[in-house]
Amino acid sequence: MKDVAARAGVGLKTVSRVVNEEAGVTPDTVARVQAAIDALGFRRNDSARLLRTRRTASVGLVLEDLADPFYASLSRAVEDVARAHGALLFTGSSAEDPRREKELVLAFCARRVDGLVVVPASDDHRYLSSEIEAGVATVFVDRPAGALDADVVLTDNAGGTREGVAHLIAHGHRRIGFIGDQQGIHTAAERLRGYHEAMEDAGLPVRPEWWTMGPTAPERVRAALDVMLSGPERVTALFAGNNRVTVTAVRVLSGLSRPVALVGFDDFELADLLNPPVTVVAQDAPGIGRSAAQLLFRRLDGIVSDEPTRIELPARLIPRGSGEIPPS
Amino acid sequence: MKDVAARAGVGLKTVSRVVNEEAGVTPDTVARVQAAIDALGFRRNDSARLLRTRRTASVGLVLEDLADPFYASLSRAVEDVARAHGALLFTGSSAEDPRREKELVLAFCARRVDGLVVVPASDDHRYLSSEIEAGVATVFVDRPAGALDADVVLTDNAGGTREGVAHLIAHGHRRIGFIGDQQGIHTAAERLRGYHEAMEDAGLPVRPEWWTMGPTAPERVRAALDVMLSGPERVTALFAGNNRVTVTAVRVLSGLSRPVALVGFDDFELADLLNPPVTVVAQDAPGIGRSAAQLLFRRLDGIVSDEPTRIELPARLIPRGSGEIPPS
DNA sequence: CTGAAAGCGCTTACAG
DNA sequence: CTGAAAGCGCTTACAG
């Protein structure tokens, strides 16, 4: 910029004015500066500009895994909102590792991002409270923050599961199984709660061998299914607590002689092409991302009250066939 | 930092030394500075630091759509390599819009990212040549850059298709159809070339109604299939030029009375759960992302020659059932 | 309409 | 072992 000013024979401030298209510069001066800019191939360094402006026009997104379809479409939604607000997006995957989450979050804070959208991997976010006080707007997504009262946008996991299980009950099932992810995961616990509530609402008993929580590895799910599907009190329908469980369940159930109904939490591509097509309770990944990002920018613009906001988005039941199979 | 220095009664440089854990500071001084840092809640502003250091420790990734599974896993691989090199990742989706691609690329350049990984949407990247001269390392991915000789990492599209078509021929097919994406798309044209080569290698004639290029919208694909699958010279096998075509083809073929063999380019989740399981030619999305990012950092470290590098990764045939159906 | 000075928050290149 | 000065590339707050 100094070179441009020298070549055009003007002050730094005038170059700055031309570059930023500020009014009040003679057309003649503009032309001279522009010529110098073109000749020198000058282009403004936004990093320097932003240092002075005291905002970085960027937001950081920390999630489990950028490659996971759910988070991928959530990311895209966050990106779109950020773009609409003139901000660029940093992304990082925590891989469910609390240390990595913290590392990423602090790296973004050190760059002084204007705001953060975080899918919590850690269950203690007190390390963030000083940052938030320092002015980094933060919105948690998919799961609430641990030990910190902060903005959060999530799916109504319990409600969605309740609806899915009620759907099975409405189709005549009375013995329904539930296979969920590990207890410690907030969404998993909420879905389990929804299962119990739906059964209770219908006045149906729940036997202890009908539900189980744990890793979603295929072997574990198969073993759990074996238990549920044997004996005189075996289940006639299954609610799968997430995507991976659903897929394993489809594999196992397709090998059985008598049909077992299935509803899964989380939609997935080609669910309608399977045999039978899989009924699911779908989360709105773009909707969650969009809400979170919008809330973030409302915070940045100081539009929202200081009170932490909690937004819960409904899940949607999509009947496709597997959930409408009657009890055998 | 000024405040910390004042509180600790030391110079700025000493604070800098402590923050950066440089050697040669008395333990006593370190303790005093550290106490001031803690008391004031100071944390280094990396944006300011990087302005002075003249590198930003960040790379920009521009692709079609962050929500697309192929690009999502490519992104994750780029992220992992970037992390290993201590760099953060900016991501942006061009949505196949050349203007948006340019906008994103230039925004990243204006932030002075150290390097760029770009999935080209535009077919003219001359706008980038001045940036590249200015030192922004750039690697193109999935498709070569337009009108610019630059580093590129891509899949062997022609070779992969040749292998897939040869697989169908090996299973006895002589009349094989090909439905591809629009001609203008580099990968689409390459795959079409592979189809023609495989047929020619086997000495098989290709009738004009057996292959077609165009939008991958379901209606277009259905119409194209109708043509190929009717008349005395109808095809007994189909090669689908990409994911979306494959999915539509599965739907159409599953409704037919006589079986038609199918091989698709690009793997997709649950392909093995469909009926019949779908044989595909798989690209290595993480491998492509990893190679591109590694090449980028080798450039940044000045390890590679100045000559643009072209890396072509093999595609892999995964037989699952649909591609092994004999001619009816 | 234009520009010189100070400053954003750090590091570099010195000197002591 | 420590620090004052200059500078990274811009903008802000003035003054003229």
Side-chain angles (χ1 to χ4, degrees):
Chain A
M1 196 157 129
K2 223 160 56 184
D3 299 342
V4 172
R7 186 179 235 264
V10 298
L12 275 177
K13 177 62 205 177
T14 299
V15 178
S16 175
R17 283 194 182 95
V18 172
V19 169
N20 296 313
E21 297 177 337
E22 285 172 34
V25 186
T26 346
D28 185 56
T29 315
V30 172
R32 247 177 33 247
V33 172
Q34 195 58 56
I37 287 175
D38 294 343
L40 270 52
F42 166 83
R43 291 203 319 90
R44 184 178 67 191
N45 180 331
D46 276 351
S47 294
R49 166 191 169 75
L50 294 165
L51 174 61
R52 191 61 175 91
T53 324
R54 312 199 58 129
R55 56 185 294 272
T56 57
S58 58
V59 305
L61 171 62
V62 178
L63 35 70
E64 303 300 340
D65 181 4
L66 201 47
D68 179 284
F70 177 76
Y71 293 120
S73 66
L74 188 151
S75 301
R76 175 62 198 272
V78 172
E79 185 203 326
D80 288 343
V81 175
R83 188 202 316 276
H85 288 263
L88 293 181
L89 182 68
F90 279 115
T91 48
S93 305
S94 68
E96 288 278 13
D97 179 346
R99 276 175 319 183
R100 207 148 123 179
E101 176 206 285
K102 182 172 175 181
E103 203 179 292
L104 279 166
V105 164
L106 292 181
F108 291 156
C109 288
R111 300 283 176 113
R112 297 293 189 270
V113 293
D114 298 328
L116 284 170
V117 175
V118 180
V119 176
S122 135
D123 55 0
D124 186 350
H125 293 84
R126 277 172 297 186
Y127 71 86
L128 244 170
S129 53
S130 58
E131 303 293 338
I132 292 176
E133 277 165 33
V136 187
T138 304
V139 175
F140 290 86
V141 141
D142 194 37
R143 313 172 188 172
L148 190 72
D149 198 22
D151 289 331
V152 57
V153 176
L154 25 71
T155 298
D156 179 7
N157 288 289
T161 306
R162 228 163 29 225
E163 194 182 344
V165 174
H167 183 74
L168 290 166
I169 295 171
H171 280 80
H173 296 275
R174 300 182 54 81
R175 301 196 305 271
I176 301 172
F178 178 95
I179 301 183
D181 207 334
Q182 323 212 40
Q183 284 273 16
I185 299 178
H186 177 262
T187 51
E190 282 292 294
R191 293 171 196 174
L192 178 63
R193 183 164 71 81
Y195 162 73
H196 282 297
E197 286 175 1
M199 295 296 273
E200 197 171 315
D201 288 351
L204 296 175
V206 172
R207 297 180 66 99
E209 64 269 29
W210 288 352
W211 65 273
T212 156
M213 305 289 277
T216 57
E219 313 78 60
R220 213 271 305 177
V221 173
R222 278 174 196 280
L225 272 167
D226 275 351
V227 174
M228 290 179 197
L229 292 169
S230 59
E233 296 291 325
R234 61 171 178 270
V235 303
T236 61
L238 175 71
F239 189 94
N242 73 24
N243 246 327
R244 281 167 304 240
V245 175
T246 307
V247 172
T248 305
V250 168
R251 286 183 210 275
V252 173
L253 298 184
S254 70
L256 298 181
S257 48
R258 77 192 119 64
V260 172
L262 172 69
V263 174
F265 205 107
D266 268 345
D267 199 6
F268 53 96
E269 239 190 329
L270 306 190
D272 60 319
L273 265 185
L274 300 188
N275 184 17
V278 180
T279 297
V280 299
V281 175
Q283 297 195 72
D284 180 7
I288 291 177
R290 202 180 313 121
S291 300
Q294 284 167 345
L295 178 54
L296 184 72
F297 283 100
R298 265 181 281 142
R299 280 261 177 257
L300 288 175
D301 297 341
I303 300 181
V304 206
S305 76
D306 278 353
E307 288 298 290
T309 303
R310 177 194 178 90
I311 298 181
E312 207 163 78
L313 269 66
R316 193 166 53 95
L317 180 76
I318 307 179
R320 293 206 181 99
S322 73
E324 294 73 47
I325 296 173
S328 59
Chain B
M1 197 157 129
K2 225 160 52 185
D3 299 342
V4 173
R7 187 179 235 263
V10 298
L12 275 178
K13 177 63 207 176
T14 299
V15 178
S16 176
R17 283 195 183 95
V18 173
V19 170
N20 297 313
E21 297 178 338
E22 284 171 33
V25 186
T26 344
D28 185 57
T29 315
V30 172
R32 248 178 31 248
V33 172
Q34 195 58 57
I37 286 175
D38 294 343
L40 271 52
F42 166 84
R43 291 203 320 90
R44 184 179 67 192
N45 180 332
D46 276 351
S47 293
R49 167 191 169 76
L50 294 165
L51 175 61
R52 192 61 235 254
T53 324
R54 311 199 59 129
R55 55 185 295 272
T56 56
S58 58
V59 304
L61 172 62
V62 178
L63 35 69
E64 303 300 341
D65 181 4
L66 202 47
D68 179 283
F70 177 76
Y71 294 120
S73 66
L74 189 151
S75 301
R76 176 62 198 273
V78 172
E79 185 202 326
D80 287 343
V81 175
R83 187 201 318 275
H85 288 263
L88 294 181
L89 182 67
F90 279 115
T91 47
S93 305
S94 67
E96 289 279 12
D97 178 347
R99 277 175 318 182
R100 207 148 123 179
E101 176 206 284
K102 182 173 175 181
E103 201 179 294
L104 279 166
V105 164
L106 292 182
F108 290 156
C109 288
R111 299 282 176 114
R112 297 295 187 270
V113 292
D114 297 328
L116 285 170
V117 175
V118 180
V119 177
S122 134
D123 55 0
D124 186 351
H125 292 85
R126 278 172 296 187
Y127 71 86
L128 245 171
S129 53
S130 59
E131 303 294 339
I132 292 176
E133 278 165 32
V136 187
T138 304
V139 176
F140 290 86
V141 141
D142 194 37
R143 313 171 186 172
L148 190 74
D149 199 20
D151 288 331
V152 58
V153 176
L154 24 72
T155 298
D156 179 6
N157 288 289
T161 307
R162 229 165 27 227
E163 194 183 345
V165 174
H167 184 75
L168 290 167
I169 295 170
H171 280 80
H173 296 276
R174 300 182 53 81
R175 301 196 306 271
I176 301 171
F178 178 95
I179 302 183
D181 208 334
Q182 324 212 38
Q183 283 273 14
I185 299 177
H186 177 263
T187 51
E190 282 292 294
R191 292 172 197 174
L192 177 63
R193 184 164 71 82
Y195 162 73
H196 281 298
E197 287 175 0
M199 295 296 274
E200 197 172 315
D201 288 351
L204 296 175
V206 172
R207 298 181 66 99
E209 64 269 29
W210 288 353
W211 65 272
T212 155
M213 305 289 277
T216 57
E219 312 80 58
R220 213 270 306 175
V221 173
R222 278 174 197 279
L225 272 168
D226 275 351
V227 174
M228 290 179 196
L229 293 170
S230 59
E233 296 292 324
R234 61 171 179 270
V235 303
T236 61
L238 175 72
F239 190 93
N242 75 24
N243 247 325
R244 280 168 305 241
V245 173
T246 306
V247 171
T248 305
V250 168
R251 285 185 211 275
V252 172
L253 299 184
S254 70
L256 299 181
S257 48
R258 79 193 116 66
V260 172
L262 172 69
V263 174
F265 205 107
D266 268 347
D267 199 6
F268 54 95
E269 239 189 329
L270 306 190
D272 60 319
L273 265 185
L274 300 189
N275 184 17
V278 181
T279 296
V280 299
V281 175
Q283 297 195 72
D284 179 8
I288 292 177
R290 203 179 315 119
S291 300
Q294 284 168 344
L295 178 55
L296 184 72
F297 282 100
R298 265 182 281 142
R299 279 260 178 258
L300 289 174
D301 296 341
I303 300 181
V304 206
S305 75
D306 278 354
E307 288 298 290
T309 303
R310 177 193 178 91
I311 298 180
E312 207 163 78
L313 269 65
R316 194 166 53 95
L317 180 77
I318 308 178
R320 293 205 181 100
S322 73
E324 294 74 47
I325 297 174
S328 60

